[in-house]
Amino acid sequence: MFDGAEPAASGAAEREVRTTCPYCGVGCGVVARVAADGPFPGRVTVRGDSDHPANRGRLCSKGSALADTLVPGEAGGRLLHPEIGGRRVTWDAALAEVATRFADTIAEHGPDSVAFYVSGQLLTEDYYVANKLMKGFIGSANIDTNSRLCMASSVAGHKRGLGADAVPGSYADFETAKLVVLVGSNLAWCHPVLNQRLLAARAAQGTRIVVIDPRRTASVDGADRHLALAAGTDSVLFNGLLVYLHATGRTDAVFVGRRTSGEEEALAAARAEAPDIATVARRCKLSEAEVAAFYAEVATTERVVTVYSQGVNQSSQGTDTVNAILNVHFLTGRIGQPGMGPFSVTGQPNAMGGREVGGLANQLAAHMGFTVEDVDRVRRFWNAPRVAAKPGLKAVDLFRAIERGSVKAVWIMATNPAVSMPDAGRIRRALANCPTVVVSDCIRDTDTGRLAHIRLPAAGWSEKDGTVTNSDRTISRQRAFRPFEGEARPDWWILTQVARRMGFADAFAYESAADVFREHAALSAFENGADWMSERAFDIGALAGIGDAEFETLAPFPWPWRAGEAPQQRLFADGRFFTDDRRARFVPVTTRALPRSLPDGALLLNSGRLRDQWHTMTRTGLAPRLSAHAPEPCLDVHPADATARGLEDGGLARVVTVAGEALARVRVTDGQGEGTAFLPMHWTDRFTGSCVIGRLVDDEAVDPQSGQPDLKRMPATVQPYRPDWTAFLLTRRPVEPAHGGYWARRVVAGGHLIEMAGTGAIPADLDTGWLPGFAPDGAVIEFSDAARGGTRKAWLSGDRLEACLFVTAVTAGAGRLPGRDWLAGLLEADGVDDGLRGALLAGRAPGARADEGRIVCSCFSVGVNRLIATIRGQGMTSVQEIGAALKAGTNCGSCVPELKEVLRHAHQREMA
Ligand SMILES: Nc1nc2c(c(=O)[nH]1)N[C@H]1C(S)=C(S)[C@@H](COP(=O)(O)OP(=O)(O)OC[C@H]3O[C@@H](n4cnc5c(=O)[nH]c(N)nc54)[C@H](O)[C@@H]3O)O[C@H]1N2
Ligand SMILES: Nc1nc2c(c(=O)[nH]1)N[C@H]1C(S)=C(S)[C@@H](COP(=O)(O)OP(=O)(O)OC[C@H]3O[C@@H](n4cnc5c(=O)[nH]c(N)nc54)[C@H](O)[C@@H]3O)O[C@H]1N2
Ligand code: SF4
Ligand SMILES: [Mo]
């Protein structure tokens, strides 16, 4: 039924395919090598593409482990077939059901009674078709994307300041700048290859780096200055900077006079709240000296790039903070020239592509909005019966409309809102009551997928084909190099098939991603002026007539690329902007108080990313080496806050907010600001008992301009959770414990390791339902230590270890649980011979290597315990020595900041 070109099947010769990493917005080029013994389940290896302008051969830990996430069979968890009500159906039946349900709902309740919720992880071609179907043919603008949680404030800030949503510069500016300021960006973990490029520039020519973040992150390791300001005060800091630069004569008067508008109003607003350094220091909770030093450095450095990300965007005043940053670049004329400018780094691989096709509910397509002219232009181009004439519902409002019942059918693609949306508990209830929920995902069992009536198997990375746009406007091809898993199909194809069944066959006649791309390119150039500045920034008209063969080999290029012209890497070089008067627009910014008041004794809960996991872990959670870096969900707290609450490092904590609660492992670190705490956003109900970040954040605080929710500043009370018993389970098949206490699961080679803890009596009996579905094969051997309150069990079929469970009481004199590595290794071993059987219930063979501990270097699986032992044993003092002895840090380099931290700790503890 799918007649697109399928990649060569098994039997093919060894080949290499150039594609793009599916994770972050750096958009690294990847060369995938498929071994000659067949593409699947044959061996795939990846390396960085040395010809790609984003990474020139580099990859980070996640990119390097891409092949590990292509897990075949049950362990890969792929959704292999369409399902209705949990039952396998044919594609035909599923597509007909989606089309009928949507058409019937529209017929009865109108176009605004249906919605799509999509994602920056769709390819541009998928996104284009989704947007066209909803806005052009269904006739509603109720399509919004997870970019609402991610880039919406940058989009709104760009439009206000620049007149268009266009990042001015390119990655090369990180290398030509003299000073790079990271605001609310943990570049070392979230855009690691860009960070490596920055650190290389620093080593070569002394580029200065300033990090502005309430936490001491891995990015601070490479920095010259860290301003650990109070959360939510960035706009005060940048307003103060504006005032300072003006007062010290750093204004570029010619640029401001000829190329900008609104300077006076912006300065007046800035002066009102940040008249001097003392006021800024007090409001930002910084010392006057550090503010003064930062301001002086910016004042005296011409080539400054200000990089910002979620510490800025995910805020109820995100848009204003973006403009406070832009204002500083306008005042100094530092924009449009090499090595300078504001730089919003995008999160998802195709966050930018989504912005180009109009994936947000308040955009139309190809950088057009809902003006009468734009709506008419798109209507004519698409030959569409009823183009939406007004913006649709933004994410938070969209889910509220589902809750109210005014939206009755929703199709969710490539995002997991049951985890990532604020007030995820409320989102789950809304979806559970929604008459029609369709979920397209490549993974079968996700928190959102469990709420679906219809599940559609999407093709994943390595199978899908199209284009993505990275943070610096570079459009790259993502190419398929394996056949589809099961009956999975590309998202554009699924959408096209539904559109045809809804009666729109002529407008959705696409047979390939290239067909869609050509139309997208043509629309971008349609009535788009004679000069690239004259109408819309996004224009790739040069590619409107691209042939299939050319599309196949298309090399990465930046937009705009107008017909008859060359691609343009730099925007605004001539000082003209996309506003009506062609001037950059200063926006007056007044900082508001934090949206939620902090009750006595509460901590301000921040959230964000870890180095080796990607969002809700559906893919990175499949790779043992990525999962070993942060084996459990950890709550970071400052030592003083830990002491005040009786929290112990390595103990457990209960985190409670007005929206929900969580259980997490405690990590005490002085890198965390006092009065604040940090939780990673990654864990879902599939990986832990109760630590879904979205459940903790309410949906009350939303940026009025962008509709982006404030996800990083949530009051929370934190108390110790004191279990009566702890346990771990090693098992070949995943299990989701139901004992109501704490658990966290991660993959290990050959199976799963589940850490557990709970209160009350030790659950001795596995049949009581606390390990639902756990029924290992084989004979059980058991050891019970009634006196000390512990049980150890192992299941063996023949000499194969199927599972083992170790439980112990948490009381004085109780036994301790053994290390996990040796036992976990037995899941992978060929067999457990008689010699080892005896050691099994002891948990450790004589002479077995000590546990690695948390993995620091995921490329070579080097753990913190081995590092500390080697550092102390050999008296090491540098990362280079560690690399020479253990290889750690010598491949992708993502772990270098942590290696330095381990070095410091190893020596500190030794001296203590
Ligand atoms: N490893 C990894 N990398 C990723 C992703 C991933 O899941 N895993 N996801 C990708 C995506 S979609 C995105 S959007 C990006 C996000 O990339 P980043 O924005 O760099 O990542 P976050 O960890 O969300 O948040 C960045 C920092 O904002 C800080 N912050 C919180 N509040 C404030 C504040 O008020 N002011 C300031 N100045 N800082 C504050 C936090 O302490 C945090 O260190 O990462 C991308 N890259
Ligand atoms: N508290 C808090 N919440 C946050 C954030 C935060 O920092 N703090 N960050 C926010 C941000 S910036 C973001 S971007 C979001 C991310 O949050 P989500 O978008 O919800 O997270 P993902 O895990 O990336 O979800 C992508 C889903 O798409 C599936 N998928 C992968 N490839 C494909 C494909 O080609 N087609 C289809 N159909 N499916 C595919 C994956 O299996 C996965 O289930 O979270 C937001 N939520
Ligand atoms: S920096 Fe890492 S995650 Fe981001 S695109 Fe490059 S390899 Fe992928
Ligand atoms: Mo994001």
Side-chain angles (χ1 to χ4, degrees):
M1 121 182 270
F2 177 67
D3 45 9
E6 290 216 10
S10 57
E14 173 176 288
R15 63 214 164 82
E16 291 195 338
V17 175
R18 292 195 136 76
T19 181
T20 314
C21 176
Y23 299 125
C24 85
V26 177
C28 296
V30 171
V31 181
R33 185 151 171 259
V34 187
D37 58 337
F40 188 69
R43 222 160 51 89
V44 174
T45 49
V46 300
R47 65 170 194 275
D49 181 353
S50 49
D51 291 338
H52 198 286
N55 57 319
R56 299 202 191 97
R58 297 177 172 97
L59 289 179
C60 76
S61 51
K62 294 180 299 303
S64 304
L66 269 168
D68 299 18
T69 63
L70 303 177
V71 183
E74 196 195 344
R78 288 290 298 270
L79 177 59
L80 298 172
H81 312 284
E83 292 179 4
I84 300 178
R87 268 198 221 101
R88 177 176 173 177
V89 297
T90 62
W91 264 116
D92 218 27
L95 295 164
E97 181 77 8
V98 177
T100 308
R101 285 199 187 206
F102 271 73
D104 288 353
T105 309
I106 295 163
E108 199 172 333
H109 304 283
D112 288 333
S113 65
V114 301
F116 295 166
Y117 182 60
V118 301
S119 156
Q121 290 166 76
L122 292 174
L123 302 180
T124 299
E125 293 72 18
D126 306 325
Y127 237 140
Y128 179 88
V129 178
N131 189 56
K132 180 177 177 182
L133 174 57
M134 184 52 84
K135 292 193 184 126
F137 289 78
I138 289 177
S140 165
N142 282 346
I143 168 171
D144 209 34
T145 139
N146 63 356
S147 285
R148 185 68 60 196
L149 314 176
C150 182
M151 304 314 304
S153 298
S154 280
V155 174
H158 281 158
K159 283 204 206 151
R160 288 202 304 190
L162 308 169
D165 177 27
V167 172
S170 82
Y171 295 157
D173 292 326
F174 284 59
E175 285 149 349
T176 44
K178 291 257 188 258
L179 171 64
V180 174
V181 184
L182 304 178
V183 195
S185 156
N186 185 7
L187 206 72
W189 278 8
C190 298
H191 300 88
V193 164
L194 211 43
N195 194 59
Q196 285 175 34
R197 286 181 64 168
L198 179 57
L199 294 182
R202 183 173 187 255
Q205 73 242 7
T207 313
R208 304 263 308 168
I209 303 172
V210 176
V211 175
I212 300 174
D213 193 310
R215 290 192 304 150
R216 193 177 71 227
T217 61
S219 306
V220 173
D221 170 68
D224 300 281
R225 198 186 297 288
H226 174 209
L227 298 183
L229 83 182
T233 62
D234 303 78
S235 46
V236 176
L237 186 70
F238 279 87
N239 263 343
L241 180 57
L242 193 74
V243 174
Y244 177 90
L245 292 168
H246 184 263
T248 52
R250 297 292 168 176
T251 303
D252 181 339
V254 175
F255 183 85
V256 171
R258 289 201 192 140
R259 301 299 183 195
T260 72
S261 67
E263 180 209 15
E264 277 313 316
E265 293 83 344
L267 268 170
R271 280 193 201 104
E273 71 173 29
D276 49 44
I277 287 175
T279 309
V280 172
R282 185 170 41 75
R283 290 195 59 176
C284 298
K285 298 206 170 76
L286 295 166
S287 75
E288 288 185 34
E290 43 187 347
V291 176
F294 168 58
Y295 284 3
E297 187 160 14
V298 175
T300 53
T301 314
E302 183 62 10
R303 279 191 268 149
V304 179
V305 171
T306 312
V307 178
Y308 55 93
S309 187
Q310 299 315 340
V312 169
N313 292 336
Q314 284 172 349
S315 155
S316 54
Q317 53 180 21
T319 308
D320 278 351
T321 307
V322 168
N323 287 108
I325 293 170
L326 294 184
N327 287 347
V328 164
H329 282 272
F330 297 159
L331 188 82
T332 49
R334 293 174 188 162
I335 187 165
Q337 305 300 324
M340 56 181 79
F343 206 116
S344 147
V345 276
T346 52
Q348 300 178 90
N350 202 27
M352 288 288 246
R355 287 145 74 168
E356 289 145 22
V357 301
L360 292 159
N362 51 324
Q363 300 177 337
L364 190 43
H367 275 205
M368 283 179 269
F370 287 95
T371 62
V372 174
E373 302 80 54
D374 282 353
V375 171
D376 180 58
R377 183 179 300 114
V378 173
R379 186 200 323 274
R380 285 182 286 113
F381 182 86
W382 278 343
N383 194 16
R386 42 176 170 271
V387 175
K390 60 173 195 332
L393 295 169
K394 301 187 178 110
V396 170
D397 292 334
L398 192 154
F399 280 94
R400 285 183 184 168
I402 295 172
E403 182 180 52
R404 278 197 310 277
S406 55
V407 166
K408 298 173 196 304
V410 62
W411 186 353
I412 298 166
M413 298 167 221
T415 176
N416 198 355
V419 180
S420 54
M421 277 290 289
D423 216 339
R426 186 173 178 183
I427 301 290
R428 289 169 192 233
R429 289 190 296 277
L431 289 176
N433 290 323
C434 181
T436 296
V437 178
V438 183
V439 172
S440 298
D441 205 294
C442 30
I443 300 295
R444 183 167 191 281
D445 195 9
T446 68
D447 287 17
T448 304
R450 287 204 175 185
L451 298 159
H453 303 108
I454 303 170
R455 283 194 254 212
L456 305 175
W461 182 79
S462 79
E463 302 154 16
K464 58 185 197 171
D465 197 76
T467 58
V468 289
T469 310
N470 74 1
S471 293
D472 78 347
R473 288 181 281 106
T474 298
I475 296 180
S476 299
R477 287 279 279 108
Q478 214 179 87
R479 294 185 178 88
F481 56 89
R482 302 191 322 163
F484 303 122
E485 268 279 281
E487 291 183 283
R489 291 292 179 266
D491 290 288
W492 68 261
W493 181 88
I494 303 173
L495 281 153
T496 297
Q497 293 296 322
V498 168
R500 291 180 190 175
R501 283 165 177 76
M502 289 178 79
F504 311 124
D506 290 349
F508 293 85
Y510 317 112
E511 295 296 334
S512 67
D515 284 346
V516 183
F517 181 82
R518 278 186 284 271
E519 184 180 309
H520 166 58
L523 175 57
S524 76
F526 184 59
E527 298 176 0
N528 197 7
D531 152 356
W532 78 271
M533 277 301 307
S534 57
E535 293 291 340
R536 306 179 312 262
F538 179 67
D539 188 333
I540 52 168
L543 300 167
I546 189 172
D548 287 352
E550 272 175 285
F551 184 70
E552 200 38 56
T553 55
L554 182 68
F557 69 94
W559 66 258
W561 189 2
R562 289 173 58 92
E565 294 176 15
Q568 200 169 331
Q569 187 71 81
R570 186 169 308 290
L571 298 178
F572 315 123
D574 62 358
R576 290 189 301 153
F577 295 82
F578 286 100
T579 49
D580 292 341
D581 60 5
R582 294 286 174 257
R583 286 164 176 260
R585 208 180 294 127
F586 281 92
V587 177
V589 169
T590 302
T591 305
R592 296 181 293 274
L594 284 183
R596 308 166 178 109
S597 60
L598 193 66
D600 269 356
L603 298 176
L604 203 57
L605 181 66
N606 182 358
S607 63
R609 285 143 178 89
L610 301 179
R611 193 190 75 192
D612 288 357
Q613 290 294 355
W614 178 261
H615 296 164
T616 69
M617 295 166 55
T618 61
R619 288 168 289 162
T620 44
L622 297 170
R625 62 167 155 151
L626 294 180
S627 301
H629 175 246
E632 295 179 64
C634 273
L635 179 83
D636 287 358
V637 287
H638 186 272
D641 292 320
T643 309
R645 287 167 183 72
L647 299 166
E648 279 168 40
D649 190 50
L652 292 166
R654 186 188 294 282
V655 185
V656 182
T657 70
V658 293
E661 59 178 73
L663 290 177
R665 188 73 62 194
V666 175
R667 203 173 74 112
V668 178
T669 162
D670 63 3
Q672 189 63 38
E674 224 178 309
T676 70
F678 179 87
L679 261 187
M681 63 168 294
H682 304 294
W683 272 264
T684 71
D685 284 354
R686 310 281 70 81
F687 289 93
T688 186
S690 157
C691 199
V692 168
I693 191 68
R695 284 212 184 96
L696 294 173
V697 184
D698 68 25
D699 60 3
E700 299 303 316
V702 171
D703 182 286
Q705 264 87 34
S706 67
Q708 181 155 356
D710 196 316
L711 298 170
K712 292 213 177 331
R713 285 152 285 256
M714 187 70 207
T717 53
V718 179
Q719 290 156 354
Y721 172 76
R722 295 208 172 83
D724 296 315
W725 55 269
T726 63
F728 70 85
L729 172 69
L730 275 160
T731 156
R732 290 190 180 274
R733 279 190 288 275
V735 176
E736 291 175 9
H739 49 66
Y742 170 84
W743 64 266
R745 171 177 72 86
R746 70 176 164 104
V747 292
V748 293
H752 304 259
L753 170 59
I754 302 164
E755 300 287 344
M756 297 181 275
T759 52
I762 293 183
D765 187 354
L766 298 177
D767 302 327
T768 52
W770 72 286
L771 288 178
F774 178 67
D777 302 330
V780 60
I781 51 174
E782 186 169 359
F783 167 78
S784 173
D785 182 354
R788 298 209 294 171
T791 305
R792 298 178 171 201
K793 284 187 182 180
W795 289 261
L796 287 155
S797 33
D799 62 355
R800 187 176 128 112
L801 179 67
E802 295 292 336
C804 62
L805 173 68
F806 284 62
V807 190
T808 185
V810 185
T811 46
R816 287 182 49 172
L817 297 175
R820 308 347 179 210
D821 286 4
W822 179 77
L823 285 166
L826 294 182
L827 285 180
E828 235 197 334
D830 291 339
V832 184
D833 62 35
D834 286 345
L836 294 182
R837 249 169 214 253
L840 197 53
L841 292 184
R844 185 154 181 238
R849 202 159 80 179
D851 265 26
E852 285 284 342
R854 189 177 69 77
I855 294 297
V856 176
C857 169
S858 59
C859 294
F860 298 108
S861 293
V862 183
V864 70
N865 294 348
R866 182 146 60 109
L867 282 167
I868 290 182
T870 316
I871 291 167
R872 287 187 183 153
Q874 303 185 21
M876 292 176 170
T877 54
S878 72
V879 169
Q880 287 70 24
E881 286 171 284
I882 298 178
L886 301 173
K887 289 171 110 179
T890 58
N891 182 41
C892 80
S894 295
C895 65
V896 168
E898 284 156 276
L899 290 178
K900 290 191 190 163
E901 189 86 0
V902 176
L903 257 178
R904 239 179 339 257
H905 276 266
H907 291 305
Q908 268 170 10
R909 295 250 169 88
E910 204 168 33
M911 284 180 333

